[in-house]
Amino acid sequence: MQHHVKQSIRKRSQKAGLPPGSLVHIGRERAEEAKITIIDYDASQFVEQSVDSVEACVPFRDKPTVTWINIDGIHQAEIIEKMGACHNLHPLVLEDIQNTEQRPKIESYSDYLYIVLKMLYFDEAVNAVSTEQVSLIVGQNYVISFQEGIEGDVFGNLRERLRNEKSRARRLGADYLAYSLIDAIVDNYFSILEKLGEKIELLEDRLVTNPTTSTLHDIHYLKREMIYLRKAVWPLREVISILSRTDSDIVQESTRIYLRDVYDHTIQVIDTVESYRDMVSGMLDIYLSSVSNRLNAVMKVLTIIATIFMPLTFIAGVYGMNFRHMPELEWQYGYFLIWGIMIAITVSMLVFFRRKKWL
């Protein structure tokens, strides 16, 4: 994550002095070729294909069917520029598409809506949450999605529904397709939260049984994950709220009820994130209290041992002095008597500590 931030800062500095709308990719460096896929459909027909150039998308521009153009990889500025020219997108929109550090937002233009979302994954390889920016251009009969990465997405179930001619999505417009994309992203948040919830439960068990330094590291890791997740999810509430109340003709009244449902899901995600944040913060306090209690227990034992040995040390010190005239040294049973006194003192102090419930 730190490497990603350093690359973004370096790239952002290259935009200094450039005019607004200049296309400079801000994000992770990628060497792969961008992928373009097209899904065109209505209630009676369905076409799905991968194309090699933006020019292949032009024939779908004026069709009465619904067209979903998906671009995996936004690091190639020429593809973004050609797609913008094809659909008459504002230069600032194209600039924002290539900036992967955008927060979730929505902007309304005369004939399309521009929406930015964060798609989250749980990377099993590094055992951490990773994010990918998704930009949506929603028009009257088309949706263009720009994905930061090319490794995959969370839209597999949506594609399967579109392939099914009996699906509701096949009978509705581009606004419903945009809702379906947003809904898929939000639903995936719940699976991320489930994994983090499992981690929190396991960490709580370790915290109660045997807190160690690694436990503290895991708590700090989860705390960063919660902040990271909150930053990606919190602005989405406003985005969906604006989308469900927009005056744009692109969003039909029949779709607004679905958007309100996504809004409810978003609120649930935010509430869960906040609950997890409170739990992790509480775990940090519990860890510090546990460490303090363990230290206090150790100090308590050491203090009791030192207290018991204080009178014994005093007696041993007295009879360890090299004076000639010490009457007790001549006693036949003096050695055993001193041992008896020491043992009696020790037992008496242990009984006293037990009654005081210090042991």
Side-chain angles (χ1 to χ4, degrees), residues 121-135:
Y121 300 97
F122 191 85
D123 193 339
E124 299 289 350
V126 297
N127 198 29
V129 177
S130 60
T131 184
E132 177 181 328
Q133 181 167 299
V134 178
S135 298

Side-chain angles (χ1 to χ4, degrees), residues 98-284:
Q98 282 212 298
N99 181 5
T100 62
E101 300 299 321
Q102 296 286 340
R103 69 193 299 270
K105 67 177 183 177
I106 180 172
E107 294 178 356
S108 179
Y109 292 84
S110 58
D111 54 350
Y112 64 87
L113 299 174
Y114 172 53
I115 305 171
V116 179
L117 305 168
K118 295 296 183 180
M119 185 163 55
L120 302 179
Y121 300 97
F122 191 85
D123 193 339
E124 299 289 350
V126 297
N127 198 29
V129 177
S130 60
T131 184
E132 177 181 328
Q133 181 167 299
V134 178
S135 298
L136 301 179
I137 304 294
V138 185
Q140 285 289 351
N141 63 336
Y142 68 88
V143 174
I144 308 174
S145 56
F146 299 88
Q147 299 189 43
E148 178 182 350
I150 62 174
E151 295 83 5
D153 52 37
V154 298
F155 304 137
N157 291 334
L158 174 58
R159 293 187 179 95
E160 290 297 327
R161 295 203 305 270
L162 292 175
R163 295 183 185 113
N164 182 5
E165 63 180 358
K166 297 181 180 180
S167 172
R168 180 189 295 109
R170 290 279 292 272
R171 301 190 301 271
L172 299 175
D175 57 335
Y176 186 85
L177 174 60
Y179 148 75
S180 300
L181 294 170
I182 297 172
D183 185 57
I185 292 174
V186 173
D187 284 347
N188 188 60
Y189 290 165
F190 287 102
S191 64
I192 300 295
L193 290 174
E194 287 178 3
K195 291 183 179 295
L196 291 176
E198 293 173 359
K199 285 182 172 295
I200 290 175
E201 290 179 2
L202 293 175
L203 192 57
E204 282 181 330
D205 294 338
R206 289 171 52 195
L207 190 61
V208 172
T209 56
N210 185 29
T212 61
T213 304
S214 63
T215 308
L216 180 60
H217 293 164
D218 291 340
I219 292 174
H220 282 298
Y221 155 75
L222 280 174
K223 193 172 183 179
R224 289 195 302 268
E225 291 290 89
M226 290 299 107
I227 295 174
Y228 190 55
L229 194 60
R230 186 178 186 273
K231 183 179 178 182
V233 175
W234 188 268
L236 185 58
R237 178 178 64 173
E238 181 182 359
V239 170
I240 298 178
S241 176
I242 294 174
L243 185 60
S244 64
R245 295 182 286 104
T246 182
D247 295 331
S248 175
D249 296 334
I250 296 174
V251 180
Q252 303 298 319
E253 189 63 34
S254 59
T255 306
R256 298 182 191 275
I257 188 172
Y258 296 106
L259 291 172
R260 289 195 289 270
D261 182 64
V262 178
Y263 180 82
D264 292 339
H265 292 172
T266 305
I267 296 299
Q268 294 177 24
V269 171
I270 292 174
D271 289 343
T272 305
V273 170
E274 293 299 320
S275 297
Y276 283 174
R277 284 187 65 202
D278 293 340
M279 291 173 64
V280 173
S281 298
M283 289 166 64
L284 183 59

